[in-house]
């Protein structure tokens, strides 16, 4: 394989076609179903699917025998399924390449001139919601396969699956995996481009992902709101009761999650990798975040910060109900307070058990007999990478040198990709190449999300090389 020719081909395809496609894609407000209950009626998801489908369809002629189908199970978000036959004679091995096209909601705080549905290119960056998370995945995966075809480099069968429910916890995906099981086969390599990178200077392999559980916690104390001057001191405030209940879960002074049931023993190899990643990243471990002046991280111990972020449970309160906006807040003792909880859990903790535990913890013994309900919305398990095969470790090391000019690095991620846990369980033999473009300041889920275009290109090149090496391996074995 000619790596210079591969770089040229993929770089050119990104500049000429992929970036302009992503610009159009960013304009579509196809929020994940959890953030747009009427997604089907609104039609944005279909628009996004059509955009990706149109581009991919135009490329199939260059991939002999390739097929594309938009699979639609009744009442579920659609899934794009692309099957590219092996070019390696007699090879019955499969590579699965995964991505998602649904998006996070808008979020506030976008800088002037930027916005979630307003694509803006500034230097190397394409701003807007969903370009980096994870709209580029299908384009990057296909560009890799097209680059191999262009050089007639042989590879195993490749299946690209792009779902539309990831940001809601991928609850539709298991149905598609069951529905398509016979067609998917048994992959020996899974490629996922929905993850993060510690910097934009080298290839970052994700070694673990946290699971996530959470939902809506509601504390109701009154049938209707009353004058706070009349009721305070008599009626317990729903906010205070909620605070007390949350303190069962989280130490308000330190942010430490209290129940032992939500922890696992961290494997020594992962502690060692955390330590090494801090040597590469230094203070970027925390100063990649847009802290206000004077604000400090939870601790200055870098290894502890990495482990907190990747292997320990942590809580975020992501939304609130029962409170009027500040400008219309009167002196009322409100009837209820509700919050949306997002609890990240360690990679190897059983998500379903964690969800059940959380519900019991929050609902038991309500203070003052308040009406406390926790509506569990998700309980996905995380993922811990299996031991890397020697061929993949070598392929990754060389690909990082070829396209980034720097050695590959390994790091756990604090986020969650539910599908990886599902696949890891279903295909314990599979190897995983999980990487991504969500690096410093790229801010997926927040305001000012951007796709670092050079990294998108390089990651696509790495995928091409790794798939080629997987083919060589399949030939040998
Ligand atoms: Zn994502």
């Amino acid at each position: 394989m000619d790596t210079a020719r591969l770089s040229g081909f993929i770089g050119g395809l990104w500049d000429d076609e992929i970036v302009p496609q992503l610009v159009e894609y960013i304009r579509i407000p196809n929020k994940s179903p959890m953030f747009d209950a009427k997604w089907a009626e609104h039609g944005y998801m279909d628009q996004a699917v059509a955009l990706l489908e149109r581009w991919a369809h135009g490329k199939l002629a260059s991939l002999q025998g390739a097929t594309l189908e938009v699979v639609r199970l009744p009442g579920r978000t659609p899934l794009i399924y692309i099957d590219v036959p092996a070019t390696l004679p007699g090879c019955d091995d499969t590579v699965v390449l995964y991505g998602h096209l649904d998006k996070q909601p808008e979020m506030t705080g976008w800088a002037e001139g930027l916005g979630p549905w307003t694509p803006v290119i500034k230097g190397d960056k394409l701003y807007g919601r969903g370009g980096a998370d994870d709209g580029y995945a299908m384009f990057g995966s296909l560009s890799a396969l097209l680059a191999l075809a262009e050089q007639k480099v042989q590879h195993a069968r490749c299946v690209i699956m792009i779902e539309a429910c990831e940001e809601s916890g991928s609850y539709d995906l298991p149905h598609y995996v069951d529905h398509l099981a016979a067609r998917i086969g048994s992959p020996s390599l899974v490629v996922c481009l929905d993850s993060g990178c510690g910097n934009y200077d080298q290839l970052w392999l994700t070694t673990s992902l946290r699971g996530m559980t959470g939902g809506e916690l509601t504390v109701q104390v009154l049938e209707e709101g009353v004058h706070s001057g009349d009721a305070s001191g008599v009626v317990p405030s729903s906010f205070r009761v909620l605070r007390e209940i949350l303190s069962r879960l989280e130490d308000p002074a330190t942010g430490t999650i209290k129940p032992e049931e939500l922890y696992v023993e961290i494997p020594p190899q992962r502690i060692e990798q955390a330590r090494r990643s801090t040597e590469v990243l230094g203070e970027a471990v925390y100063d990649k975040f847009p802290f206000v002046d004077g604000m400090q991280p939870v601790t200055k111990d870098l290894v502890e910060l990495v482990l907190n972020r990747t292997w320990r449970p942590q809580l975020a309160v992501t939304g609130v109900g029962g409170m009027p906006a500040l400008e219309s807040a009167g002196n009322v003792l409100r009837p209820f307070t509700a919050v949306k909880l997002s609890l990240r859990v360690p990679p190897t903790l059983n998500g379903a058990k964690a969800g059940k535990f959380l519900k019991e913890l929050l609902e038991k013994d309500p203070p003052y007999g308040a009406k406390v309900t926790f509506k569990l919305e998700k309980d996905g398990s995380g993922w811990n990478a299996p031991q890397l095969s020697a061929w993949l470790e070598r392929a990754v090391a060389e690909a990082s040198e070829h396209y980034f000019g720097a050695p590959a690095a390994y790091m756990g991620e604090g986020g969650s990709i539910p599908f990886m846990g599902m696949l890891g369980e279903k295909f314990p033999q599979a190897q995983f190449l999980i990487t991504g473009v969500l690096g410093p300041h790229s801010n997926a889920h927040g305001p000012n999300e951007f796709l670092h275009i050079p990294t998108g290109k390089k990651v696509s090149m790495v995928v091409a090389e790794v798939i080629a090496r997987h083919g060589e391996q399949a030939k040998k074995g």
Side-chain angles (χ1 to χ4, degrees), residues 100 133-134 166-167 194:
H100 69 89
D133 182 17
D134 181 42
E166 199 273 345
E167 302 291 3
D194 188 28

Side-chain angles (χ1 to χ4, degrees), residues 219-221 236-243 333-337:
V219 175
Q220 188 172 5
V221 296
S237 140
S238 63
F239 183 75
R240 184 169 64 80
V241 172
L242 185 129
R243 224 165 39 159
L333 200 143
R334 297 170 299 98
F336 76 96
T337 304

Side-chain angles (χ1 to χ4, degrees), residues 92-169:
D92 58 0
D93 226 333
T94 299
V95 180
V96 165
L97 299 104
Y98 163 85
H100 69 89
L101 61 85
D102 56 316
K103 299 176 185 173
Q104 278 281 320
E106 296 83 348
M107 192 60 194
T108 52
W110 290 77
E112 206 182 323
L114 302 180
W117 324 125
T118 309
V120 174
I121 297 177
K122 269 192 203 170
D124 281 341
K125 296 165 188 159
L126 168 57
Y127 286 87
R129 177 66 80 229
D133 182 17
D134 181 42
Y136 86 105
M138 185 202 76
F139 296 98
S141 301
L142 268 178
S143 74
L145 298 181
L146 289 164
L148 294 181
E150 196 260 339
Q151 293 193 36
K152 299 196 167 46
V153 175
Q154 294 179 325
H155 60 78
R157 187 172 77 102
C158 293
V159 170
I160 302 177
M161 289 169 72
I162 308 295
E163 66 153 320
C165 193
E166 199 273 345
E167 302 291 3
S168 303

Side-chain angles (χ1 to χ4, degrees), residues 295-308:
M295 180 72 190
Q296 306 281 324
V298 168
T299 162
K300 283 281 176 76
D301 183 323
L302 297 179
V303 178
E304 283 303 295
L305 287 176
V306 170
L307 293 175
N308 276 351

Side-chain angles (χ1 to χ4, degrees), residues 254-324:
T254 62
T256 304
I257 297 297
K258 290 176 178 172
E260 252 174 52
E261 288 85 343
L262 295 171
Y263 285 83
V264 299
E265 197 181 325
I266 307 175
Q269 189 201 13
R270 296 294 181 239
I271 297 176
E272 176 54 25
Q273 279 172 348
R275 200 186 55 69
R276 260 183 281 147
S277 76
T278 62
E279 284 165 9
V280 177
L281 295 173
E283 290 182 355
V285 167
Y286 62 87
D287 70 13
K288 68 174 186 168
F289 296 107
F291 281 110
V292 294
D293 236 8
M295 180 72 190
Q296 306 281 324
V298 168
T299 162
K300 283 281 176 76
D301 183 323
L302 297 179
V303 178
E304 283 303 295
L305 287 176
V306 170
L307 293 175
N308 276 351
R309 169 180 178 277
T310 55
W311 276 89
R312 294 190 183 123
Q314 301 287 340
L315 178 68
V317 177
T318 60
V320 64
M323 284 200 191

